Amino acid sequence: MRVTYIMIGICILLLALTYGCGQDEPIHSGNSLSPGVSFTVSPPSGSPETVFNVDASSSFSRSGTELKFRWDWEDDEIWDTDFSVEPLTTHIYGSLGYKNIRLEVKDEAGLSGTKKQEVFITVASKEMILIPAGEFIMGSPEGVGNDDEHPQHSVYLDDFLIGKYEVTNNQYVEFLNAVGRNDDGAGHEFVNMDIASIRLKNEEYKVLKGWEDDPVIGISWYGSIAYAEWEGGRLPTEAEWEKAARGEDGREWPWGSSWDIEKCNSLESGLQRSIAVGSYPMGASPYGVHDMAGNVYEWLADWYQDDYYESSPQQNPKGPESGAFRVLRGGSSAEVAAKCRPSTRFGQRPDDGGDSDFGFRIAKDVE
């Protein structure tokens, strides 16, 4: 019996070899002749105005026939282009978030293959806005606001630059990976990982997906100033921050003199969490600076002193020489509207990164 099976196996093998050798085309299983599909996207992320260059010229034909390409820009099962022999093209996105680009490559034999690649569309940037030199009205008139906002007074500031947006998780992770640590070497933690949307994995700091454009939170004053200096900047002073938020005319809100629930992320919005920077473009300040009311509190350079306005210099004030607390401004998604007014002042220990609504933006001198 054993010999019989061996002979049968040999016969089958011989028949298979004979059959194969007698064919004009080799025998293939499945789509082993399907095109090899590959493409690159440059840049890998950008804004709604960014021109993305996609290049599928690294795809190749296994059948020896010409290739054609078509694209689905948002992986919604709707092909946005017809087949073309051109492997290079461009695309601009009009909405934010993650997008899956889908490519199909087909040869003249009708065999095809597909591949997807992810890109990220964001408005967040490190753009700095020039605040021109001049006077502005700082603080609140009698009967408005808290005692530490009085007296209202005129302040002259030299011109300076301030971040258009709060610093995001993506931007802060870039810093953490560059310096390779989460502290300043003097015992001050930069960011509280139990609160922030950042994790250390395999010795690399990464943002939890979906939180890239949110302002970094759980940040200490030391963590904010370390980033600012790494970027070649500094933290804004109280006076700089307030002018950038309110303009020169003493308005109560960045957008004007009346509260508008549609223009900032406060407790009244109902979200009760920070959201992507730039989500309230109609709430921008007269200079075009975003999110200066609500979303997250922002650390500033100054020490906090409740009666500082009674003795502060009229030109380029920088706060008291020392203190126990650093200033935060702007309110947050956890605060009622009254606490989100740009003139509202708040002090906290500089090593406190335990709050989920502490963030920051940076400033720079004009050279």
Side-chain angles (χ1 to χ4, degrees):
M1 293 294 292
R2 183 177 301 170
V3 175
T4 302
Y5 283 129
I6 292 173
M7 292 302 296
I8 292 172
I10 292 172
C11 290
I12 291 172
L13 177 60
L14 288 172
L15 285 171
L17 290 172
T18 303
Y19 178 81
C21 293
Q23 302 301 304
D24 294 328
E25 297 288 338
I27 294 175
H28 300 281
S29 60
N31 287 328
S32 60
L33 281 184
S34 294
V37 185
S38 179
F39 70 97
T40 60
V41 184
S42 179
S45 65
S47 72
E49 293 79 34
T50 298
V51 176
F52 288 91
N53 298 284
V54 290
D55 182 356
S57 57
S58 56
S59 299
F60 57 93
S61 173
R62 289 191 176 99
S63 66
T65 60
E66 187 177 46
L67 296 179
K68 293 184 177 181
F69 312 86
R70 66 175 178 176
W71 303 89
D72 174 2
W73 298 119
E74 300 205 29
D75 191 22
D76 57 4
E77 302 300 325
I78 300 173
W79 292 106
D80 297 297
T81 71
D82 295 327
F83 277 112
S84 167
V85 296
E86 177 54 62
L88 307 176
T89 189
T90 62
H91 187 68
I92 297 175
Y93 285 96
S95 59
L96 305 177
Y98 282 99
K99 311 292 182 183
N100 265 322
I101 300 175
R102 183 164 61 114
L103 165 67
E104 182 178 11
V105 177
K106 183 172 70 173
D107 64 16
E108 291 178 331
L111 297 174
S112 65
T114 62
K115 184 178 180 180
K116 299 178 184 180
Q117 191 163 325
E118 196 172 64
V119 294
F120 185 59
I121 316 301
T122 174
V123 298
S125 69
K126 297 180 181 180
E127 180 182 350
M128 306 294 287
I129 291 181
L130 174 66
I131 310 299
E135 291 188 348
F136 81 105
I137 300 172
M138 188 171 185
S140 298
E142 290 302 319
V144 177
N146 305 311
D147 290 344
D148 61 358
E149 300 172 39
H150 306 139
Q152 190 175 64
H153 55 292
S154 177
V155 172
Y156 177 90
L157 294 176
D158 295 334
D159 52 9
F160 64 96
L161 297 166
I162 195 166
K164 183 176 182 178
Y165 302 107
E166 294 155 335
V167 174
T168 67
N169 286 311
N170 252 359
Q171 292 163 1
Y172 205 79
V173 158
E174 180 186 1
F175 158 70
L176 289 176
N177 285 319
V179 300
R181 64 181 189 274
N182 187 33
D183 64 82
D184 63 1
H188 302 123
E189 186 178 59
F190 290 156
V191 61
N192 186 333
M193 296 291 179
D194 293 331
I195 293 174
S197 302
I198 297 172
R199 299 291 182 269
L200 179 61
K201 187 175 182 179
N202 298 326
E203 299 185 354
E204 181 180 4
Y205 294 97
K206 295 183 178 181
V207 183
L208 298 178
K209 189 169 183 178
W211 297 81
E212 293 85 354
D213 274 356
D214 278 48
V216 61
I217 58 172
I219 191 86
S220 70
W221 183 86
Y222 296 101
S224 61
I225 196 169
Y227 175 94
E229 292 175 350
W230 177 75
E231 283 283 7
R234 55 180 174 78
L235 293 180
T237 66
E238 269 201 278
E240 288 173 335
W241 191 95
E242 188 169 332
K243 181 178 181 180
R246 302 175 70 189
E248 300 176 354
D249 57 11
R251 63 181 61 192
E252 190 169 4
W253 300 96
W255 55 84
S257 296
S258 300
W259 161 248
D260 190 336
I261 194 173
E262 301 295 329
K263 293 182 178 177
C264 79
N265 181 20
S266 67
L267 184 64
E268 288 83 352
S269 304
L271 299 176
Q272 298 186 33
R273 51 147 290 193
S274 64
I275 57 174
V277 300
S279 293
Y280 290 85
M282 298 304 295
S285 81
Y287 301 107
V289 186
H290 287 243
D291 302 312
M292 301 199 82
N295 213 22
V296 296
Y297 276 107
E298 299 180 21
W299 285 110
L300 301 180
D302 306 36
W303 291 106
Y304 175 79
Q305 181 178 309
D306 59 2
D307 61 353
Y308 181 66
Y309 287 4
E310 296 177 6
S311 59
S312 63
Q314 190 272 335
Q315 186 164 338
N316 297 316
K318 299 185 184 300
E321 291 295 323
S322 61
F325 304 102
R326 294 285 185 176
V327 176
L328 291 120
R329 291 273 195 137
S332 75
S333 61
E335 299 285 16
V336 296
K339 291 188 176 182
C340 296
R341 294 177 303 109
S343 59
T344 301
R345 306 174 66 217
F346 171 58
Q348 187 63 279
R349 291 178 57 87
D351 58 356
D352 187 354
D355 279 277
S356 60
D357 57 355
F358 288 3
F360 73 105
R361 74 181 71 222
I362 73 169
K364 292 183 178 182
D365 296 325
V366 176
E367 298 178 356

